[in-house]
Amino acid sequence: GESVGLHLPTLSVQEGDNSIINCAYSNSASDYFIWYKQESGKGPQFIIDIRSNMDKRQGQRVTVLLNKTVKHLSLQIAATQPGDSAVYFCAERARIQGAQKLVFGQGTRLTINP
Amino acid sequence: NAGVMQNPRHLVRRRGQEARLRCSPMKGHSHVYWYRQLPEEGLKFMVYLQKENIIDESGMPKERFSAEFPKEGPSILRIQQVVRGDSAAYFCASSQQLDRGYGYTFGSGTRLTVV
């Protein structure tokens, strides 16, 4: 389940199961969204993106769903593998205090149980 | 085609020293963004630059921090008189012209430790 404070929310799944990671974004005017994967000691790695005029986009083993009504984004990973263990961040492109920029969510740590 | 290159990967500074972090964007990318990440937290926007211009520095502390992206060479994030609270991972991202390119590519980061 989720926790608040300094610790990242954690999602534990069995290897081979599907994973669903959720994200609430803040700005209703955001026009572009990206999911990133970050492994320990590395920079964020692009997974999949979606524009605000779409509600679903599929990649290889990943699907992103966008619900603009409730400002919610989700990342579905099919047949989760050990290599999927990482922290996953959603990011929205928003104009906040100046120019458009990527604004990141808190992140969710995905752990895979063998 | 090399990705976003950041150096050094690790930087140790004593309190009061200066830290210089460098970022070379992807070839063809003219927009550079700097982010800071504390352990177990998300990435926090600091500054957005184009060549020779600071576009948005709303996330950067007013004192001791500065950034530049000269006509030639990498973008530099400079932290003067570092304090322990500056210890973090600093990431740089680059993108193409905003109206056309949507991809933002991140470097591997510089991990700054202030002792």
Side-chain angles (χ1 to χ4, degrees):
Chain A
E2 290 195 5
S3 61
V4 296
L6 297 179
H7 301 288
L8 290 172
T10 299
L11 174 66
S12 296
V13 299
Q14 291 295 126
E15 183 178 347
D17 286 353
N18 296 334
S19 302
I20 300 177
I21 301 171
N22 296 303
C23 175
Y25 64 93
S26 58
N27 193 327
S28 56
S30 294
D31 65 346
Y32 176 60
F33 305 86
I34 308 176
W35 277 100
Y36 284 96
K37 172 186 181 183
Q38 187 176 29
E39 297 173 286
S40 181
K42 297 184 179 180
Q45 176 188 357
F46 173 92
I47 302 174
I48 191 167
D49 59 359
I50 188 168
R51 302 181 191 184
S52 59
N53 60 353
M54 305 169 67
D55 53 22
K56 180 179 180 179
R57 189 160 188 233
Q58 288 185 292
Q60 188 174 15
R61 274 202 314 122
V62 294
T63 301
V64 55
L65 299 177
L66 174 63
N67 184 332
K68 293 182 288 294
T69 303
V70 294
K71 292 190 286 186
H72 183 268
L73 202 63
S74 69
L75 176 70
Q76 301 177 2
I77 305 174
T80 312
Q81 303 169 357
D84 295 328
S85 292
V87 177
Y88 289 81
F89 292 98
C90 68
E92 59 180 308
R93 190 173 73 166
R95 187 181 299 276
I96 299 173
Q97 289 185 303
Q100 282 188 319
K101 59 182 77 69
L102 283 186
V103 177
F104 281 77
Q106 181 184 13
T108 298
R109 183 181 304 282
L110 178 65
T111 60
I112 313 302
N113 302 317
Chain B
N1 183 16
V4 177
M5 304 301 292
Q6 288 188 251
N7 66 82
R9 288 296 305 276
H10 300 275
L11 182 61
V12 179
R13 284 287 177 266
R14 295 187 185 278
R15 280 178 295 172
Q17 290 185 321
E18 178 180 285
R20 281 188 179 233
L21 289 63
R22 288 175 290 277
C23 169
S24 296
M26 282 187 68
K27 187 176 181 180
H29 285 192
S30 58
H31 302 248
V32 167
Y33 309 81
W34 285 93
Y35 286 79
R36 178 162 70 175
Q37 186 179 36
L38 296 173
E40 297 292 298
E41 293 189 11
L43 284 80
K44 297 290 191 280
F45 169 80
M46 298 182 72
V47 61
Y48 163 32
L49 309 104
Q50 294 179 23
K51 285 284 187 182
E52 301 183 280
N53 283 305
I54 296 175
I55 306 302
D56 183 344
E57 56 183 350
S58 59
M60 202 151 69
K62 295 287 188 287
E63 297 179 352
R64 301 188 299 107
F65 285 73
S66 62
E68 63 177 10
F69 189 14
K71 187 177 180 181
E72 301 291 338
S75 175
I76 306 287
L77 178 66
R78 182 182 178 204
I79 310 172
Q80 295 178 290
Q81 300 174 346
V82 295
V83 301
R84 288 232 170 98
D86 297 332
S87 295
Y90 292 84
F91 291 96
C92 166
S94 72
S95 71
Q96 293 176 322
Q97 184 178 349
L98 275 178
D99 290 341
R100 296 182 182 177
Y102 285 81
Y104 295 75
T105 303
F106 280 83
S108 298
T110 293
R111 279 142 190 87
L112 173 65
T113 303
V114 179
V115 298

